Amino acid sequence: MALSLPLPKPQQQQQQTTSTTTTDGEIQEIDIFHQFDVVSDSSDHHYLVNNIDYDNDSSSKKTKDGGGDSLTNISSGVYKKIMQEWKILEKHLPDSIYVRAHENRIDLLRAVIIGVAGTPYHDGLYFFDIAFPPDYPARPPLVYYRSFGLRINPNLYANGRVCLSLLNTWPGRKSEKWNSSESTVLQVLVSIQALVLNEKPYYNEPGNGVLPGRAIWEKKSNAYSENVFLLSCKTMLFLLRRPPKNFEGFVASHFREKASVILSACNAYINGQTRVGYYRNDGSCSSGNSSTVDVSDKFKGLMGQLYPELLLGFKRNGASLGNFVEPSVQPVEMKTRSFKGKAVIQSKKSGFARTVFAKLKRVLGLKKMNKSGKSGVKKKGF
């Protein structure tokens, strides 16, 4: 007799509500977003939209039916294994990872990982579309990162490719690669969170940090983390504008709750209160360094431009941000050098304008003002 494994029923309304009483005696409804749930709408899933061929992970017409009988026959080993994966995810997901399965396409999953504190990914949301091959678990699942065209990590490409030994998309020791008898989707998600979205992603790139010169490598690592945080903030704006299906309420709620922390972190980084990635939710700095740290002028300038967009995006999303205003980026003083016994300080803010005016003067034939106040225009032809 064939073993029947019925599908869990999808929630009619994923984001359920519960009631609680405030200190004023008012009843307030709180949204509940389950960490694992089964939904019906998979229309924007990467592996459905692009009809991925499991044999070469490229666009094809081969998987419109969800991989054939192995994924629809409840007596098949593949079907049973996927149901086992669902149960593992439902019971053992960490607090910072949420997953949605699809009732009509059991081969598809969508997961979101919340960036961990102490990394340049903190408080961000990172979405991954997952597909089980028709011979699962003989082969690992396919995983696609929803990047919005941004590369935020050496292992996460702008085209969505995820490089990880466990997925057999990156070289590694046998013990690090997919094991059909032991490996699980939960293991994949936790590995991405811990090994990919880590404190110093610069060192994920092979060769970085191998040669001597710790100070140089750390400087490059800090610069990379600055760029990662900028791209993470841009990803936040993309998600607010186009949240993935079945996660619309979750995205809105998350950024309403975290908006003040994210903006406070932006200000702390711009002002050099702590290195990028080390801002804590309680306002402290996990780097343990109370003195001002060096933050690149490039980061300060780009963050200063992005901050107003974040502020506006969070406000439109319903965040209460009355105390937050656009930061005023002060002229950045460069290193002091000695010139004939006097200290000369160069301001980077005016350097570009000074260079442009100097070129214009040369083109127009102008000289500096002389002591008498005359412009010193060159006379031509006389």
Side-chain angles (χ1 to χ4, degrees), residues 43-93:
S43 58
D44 71 332
H45 196 284
H46 173 76
Y47 291 110
L48 180 66
V49 172
N50 293 280
N51 298 322
I52 296 302
D53 179 0
Y54 291 102
D55 291 326
N56 57 24
D57 193 9
S58 60
S59 294
S60 173
K61 301 293 183 182
K62 296 184 180 181
T63 61
K64 276 189 175 181
D65 62 351
D69 291 342
S70 63
L71 294 169
T72 56
N73 182 358
I74 63 176
S75 299
S76 73
V78 176
Y79 190 101
K80 295 174 184 178
K81 179 61 177 177
I82 292 176
M83 291 299 101
Q84 183 181 1
E85 291 278 6
W86 284 19
K87 291 180 180 179
I88 292 173
L89 292 169
E90 186 175 18
K91 292 181 179 180
H92 301 294
L93 277 172

Side-chain angles (χ1 to χ4, degrees), residues 314-336:
F314 290 152
K315 284 185 175 180
R316 285 177 174 173
N317 186 50
S320 179
L321 299 168
N323 297 328
F324 286 90
V325 295
E326 295 182 18
S328 56
V329 180
Q330 299 296 325
V332 180
E333 291 188 350
M334 304 298 286
K335 291 183 178 180
T336 304

Side-chain angles (χ1 to χ4, degrees), residues 144 146-151 157-160 238:
Y144 172 84
R146 299 179 72 90
S147 69
F148 298 99
L150 306 175
R151 189 173 183 184
Y157 286 70
N159 65 2
F238 280 123

